[in-house]
Amino acid sequence: MIIEIKLPVQYQEEQLMNRISREAKLPRGKIREYRILRRSLDARKKPELYYVMKIAVNEGTSYEPKVSPRFSRMVPEELRRRVYIAGAGPAGLFAALALTEAGVPVTVLERGHDVDKRTEDAARFFETGELNPHSNVQFGEGGAGTFSDGKLNTRTTDPDGLNQKVLYEFYKAGAPEEVLYDARPHVGTDVLAVVVKSLREKIISGGGEFRFSSCVADVSTEDGKLAGIFVKNTDDPDAAYEFLPADVLILACGHSARDTYRMLFSHGIVMQEKPFAAGIRIEHPQEMITKAQYGTPEKATDAASYMLTAKAGDGRGVYSFCMCPGGYVVNASSEPMRLAVNGMSYSGRDSRNANSGIVVQVSPSDYPGEGPLSGIRFQEEMEERAYRAAGGRIPVQCYGDFRDNRMTEAFGNVLPEMKGAYAFGNLREVLPEVISRAILDAMPVFGKKLRGFDREDAVMSAVESRTSSPVRIVRDERGESSLSGLYPAGEGAGYAGGIVSSAIDGIRTAAHVIDRILSGTNEGRDS
Ligand SMILES: Cc1cc2nc3c(=O)[nH]c(=O)nc-3n(C[C@H](O)[C@H](O)[C@H](O)COP(=O)(O)OP(=O)(O)OC[C@H]3O[C@@H](n4cnc5c(N)ncnc54)[C@H](O)[C@@H]3O)c2cc1C
């Protein structure tokens, strides 16, 4: 049976068992097992905090997901053939997992390094500013989400059980059990690195292989079909490209692979501009946020989060993005002389600050230019200004000075928690005025919704430009791009945003490739 109960957040196991016994009208001795199906925090009566839980009693303890038959097919031995996947982010990894589980061997080509070496590359960048353009916060095994807060929530509806499948694989790969039932599951960068490695091992044991420092630098085509891929060794810029004959490629390159977008564009692959958002990242004392959200930090079991939205005077949406409780602002750049920020945290969420992006909706009308890649140019220009604003370090400014359009000379009570060097800079010179205006319209609104949010000494940094892809690679109902055999997947394809929805899109794309293989003709669209 399924029951619903509510308990104070600091409940003991004994209290839980008594409550289950009472709700289920079962004596304690008759309760063989229970499984939490869903747990959410109720802070409406703050500072009294409660967990509201849905629990399965005497219905087994397994969290094994039930996915639709389409996503658990096996490919007969005689039809199996190797599939190439570009990118080892969530979309690429879960496409690889889905294909190897169906018996299809894959080769994952990742331009960056494996997660251990990548972690060293990122640490060196934070300490010295020496950027490896192929192995950094955006690029490398695990993809963009590896240095993150590791929030695993998604708004995607889940008719096929794929959301639970992704969470279950994270759990099996080392994430805590809570990710299977918490309303807002998160894992943090430290756990993500473990998860990524375990997923790699599982894919390899299923017949997959990984090639790191291997960038898909170009494609060859014949009569509108993919005929092969050119792979560049990113550790040896002088090495000749390697040609791999291929008629199927899953392209899961993320939203920061600008050279790859330009390469595809040069082959006439159909792409569209897509609205996205840009702005700054803001930091506040975590204690202030937890007090505002929970009433009292003492009773809280975790660092509180927030989600804020407002409308600017010109009607644009302004909202908090990728909020990281107890986290760090991170230098998320991937190109020389361009600077982008984002947020990350460790599983403990125990830094002294909370941070989030405060971003403003922008659309193609904001960046007039030629063709579908003009949004990328818009991002690049903002990032170049951010790089110049503080001599290549993260430009920071207190909110009061941002409002009054002047440089900050000294911090107030909020001191930055950052991965990467920072220095004072005027963010008003980095952002297009429409974005600054919208943020200035929204901040007082946020200050009313969350007390102290618009304090003068809140620390802002820029530029938050990689919120989602400004481009969509058009694909048809078979998951194929305008180039037959090329299957765009994940955030970079413009059909997903976030770790879990990108992973789900990877699984869906793998299913399209399995359709093709099972068709036996190995033909996608009719030639
Ligand atoms: C700092 C940060 C924090 C984030 N925090 C969260 C969070 O808490 N929760 C959340 O849900 N989302 C978060 N995100 C967003 C999330 O990481 C992405 O939405 C998700 O990773 C997209 O998955 P993907 O597989 O489509 O692409 P990506 O993760 O971007 O992976 C693409 C991979 O492809 C590789 N690649 C690129 N070009 C090529 C090529 N030509 N050849 C071979 N390989 C290539 C890249 O090196 C990269 O590893 C965060 C992002 C960042 C940057």
Side-chain angles (χ1 to χ4, degrees):
M1 82 179 69
I2 309 289
I3 60 169
E4 280 227 6
I5 64 170
K6 187 171 168 175
L7 278 172
V9 287
Q10 279 140 338
Y11 67 85
Q12 304 303 319
E13 182 68 12
E14 191 58 21
Q15 278 173 289
L16 176 61
M17 290 308 289
N18 289 342
R19 182 64 62 85
I20 292 175
S21 162
R22 203 171 76 212
E23 286 304 321
K25 299 187 180 40
L26 278 176
R28 287 281 298 267
K30 290 265 184 256
I31 302 173
R32 293 188 310 280
E33 77 261 336
Y34 70 87
R35 191 172 80 237
I36 302 175
L37 300 176
R38 186 139 184 90
R39 184 176 74 173
S40 54
L41 185 77
D42 181 352
R44 287 170 298 169
K45 294 209 173 73
K46 62 187 175 185
E48 300 311 322
L49 306 176
Y50 296 89
Y51 277 133
V52 177
M53 289 182 271
K54 198 172 170 181
I55 296 185
V57 183
N58 292 349
E59 296 205 1
T61 54
S62 167
Y63 281 96
E64 185 96 26
K66 295 184 186 53
V67 298
S68 309
R70 174 170 170 69
F71 302 102
S72 48
R73 294 174 291 174
M74 283 307 287
V75 172
E77 197 117 3
E78 65 280 10
L79 291 178
R80 294 178 185 175
R81 45 178 306 247
R82 183 163 296 280
V83 168
Y84 290 100
I85 299 174
L93 287 174
F94 277 84
L97 184 64
L99 285 163
T100 48
E101 284 182 341
V104 178
V106 301
T107 298
V108 178
L109 301 160
E110 167 51 58
R111 71 191 301 162
H113 290 146
D114 68 55
V115 69
D116 291 334
K117 200 151 181 329
R118 183 191 175 190
T119 304
E120 289 164 21
D121 299 329
R124 191 172 43 255
F125 173 55
F126 298 148
E127 275 139 39
T128 67
E130 187 200 322
L131 175 71
N132 178 330
H134 299 291
S135 188
N136 47 58
V137 168
Q138 303 288 349
F139 296 153
E141 183 181 23
T146 306
F147 297 89
S148 86
D149 181 41
K151 282 179 286 299
L152 299 179
N153 43 324
T154 175
R155 294 200 196 108
T156 315
T157 53
D158 188 25
D160 298 309
L162 297 182
N163 186 27
Q164 211 48 30
K165 163 76 178 166
V166 171
L167 295 175
Y168 186 69
E169 291 299 338
F170 266 80
Y171 164 61
K172 299 287 280 181
E177 185 187 274
E178 285 82 1
V179 299
L180 295 164
Y181 54 72
D182 255 346
R184 292 196 184 155
H186 80 96
V187 284
T189 292
D190 43 341
V191 174
L192 271 166
V194 174
V195 166
V196 163
K197 260 191 282 190
S198 314
L199 285 172
R200 181 209 316 160
E201 277 141 27
K202 183 167 184 178
I203 292 162
I204 289 173
S205 64
E209 66 171 351
F210 282 73
R211 289 184 46 185
F212 295 110
S213 312
S214 301
C215 179
V216 173
D218 204 350
V219 293
S220 89
T221 68
E222 257 162 53
D223 310 328
K225 291 185 202 157
L226 182 71
I229 48 181
F230 293 92
V231 178
K232 178 171 83 174
N233 175 346
T234 53
D235 284 340
D236 179 0
D238 305 326
Y241 285 10
E242 176 193 1
F243 177 72
L244 299 172
D247 49 25
V248 170
L249 171 69
I250 294 182
L251 192 76
C253 291
H255 60 26
S256 291
R258 295 167 173 168
D259 52 354
T260 310
Y261 282 128
R262 292 192 164 107
M263 177 271 284
L264 299 171
F265 187 66
S266 71
H267 284 281
I269 291 163
V270 180
M271 292 189 247
Q272 289 163 342
E273 293 175 296
K274 189 173 105 0
F276 67 106
I280 53 99
R281 193 150 276 264
I282 194 164
E283 293 182 85
H284 298 88
Q286 179 60 54
E287 189 166 338
M288 180 198 104
I289 301 293
T290 300
K291 199 149 196 285
Q293 300 290 70
Y294 294 164
T296 161
E298 287 73 35
K299 291 212 175 137
T301 52
D302 62 355
S305 57
Y306 59 76
M307 222 186 288
L308 296 166
T309 61
K311 273 256 176 274
D314 63 1
R316 287 163 201 270
V318 187
Y319 54 96
S320 59
F321 170 77
C322 198
M323 192 264 166
C324 298
Y328 300 83
V329 174
V330 65
N331 189 329
S333 307
S334 58
E335 293 161 11
M337 319 290 272
R338 292 184 181 136
L339 197 149
V341 293
N342 206 310
M344 65 166 273
S345 70
Y346 296 105
S347 50
R349 285 179 158 176
D350 45 12
S351 98
R352 66 170 177 264
N353 284 353
N355 73 65
S356 80
I358 298 296
V359 295
V360 179
Q361 290 168 337
V362 290
S363 63
S365 58
D366 291 309
Y367 40 86
E370 286 315 303
L373 303 185
S374 41
I376 290 180
R377 197 59 218 123
F378 181 71
Q379 289 175 326
E380 290 172 338
E381 285 161 2
M382 285 189 289
E383 293 173 16
E384 283 152 14
R385 291 195 296 270
Y387 187 88
R388 291 195 299 270
R393 289 160 292 173
I394 300 174
V396 295
Q397 187 176 30
C398 291
Y399 167 58
D401 300 317
F402 175 82
R403 185 197 52 225
D404 305 341
N405 198 354
R406 62 166 181 253
M407 284 288 271
T408 293
E409 284 159 15
F411 291 118
N413 293 327
V414 185
L415 298 177
E417 285 268 43
M418 292 194 172
K419 298 281 182 189
Y422 57 85
F424 293 131
N426 187 349
L427 309 191
R428 298 286 292 271
E429 291 164 8
V430 171
L431 300 171
E433 191 52 19
V434 281
I435 294 183
S436 296
R437 277 279 116 235
I439 293 172
L440 291 171
D441 290 348
M443 283 295 287
V445 178
F446 294 159
K448 289 206 179 66
K449 291 183 176 176
L450 203 164
R451 211 171 129 75
F453 199 85
D454 55 345
R455 55 192 283 171
E456 301 277 304
D457 61 352
V459 175
M460 294 178 150
S461 49
V463 61
E464 184 90 16
S465 54
R466 319 263 179 109
T467 53
S468 71
S469 174
V471 183
R472 174 166 291 136
I473 306 171
V474 176
R475 64 189 188 191
D476 62 17
E477 71 292 347
R478 294 169 191 247
E480 276 184 289
S481 72
S482 59
L483 176 65
S484 170
L486 186 75
Y487 293 79
E491 184 161 48
Y495 294 93
I499 295 169
V500 172
S501 79
S502 301
I504 291 173
D505 197 58
I507 298 172
R508 290 193 187 286
T509 303
H512 284 303
V513 171
I514 290 170
D515 291 342
R516 181 192 182 106
I517 295 173
L518 290 175
S519 72
T521 62
N522 190 34
E523 287 299 329
R525 247 187 326 280
D526 305 333
S527 44

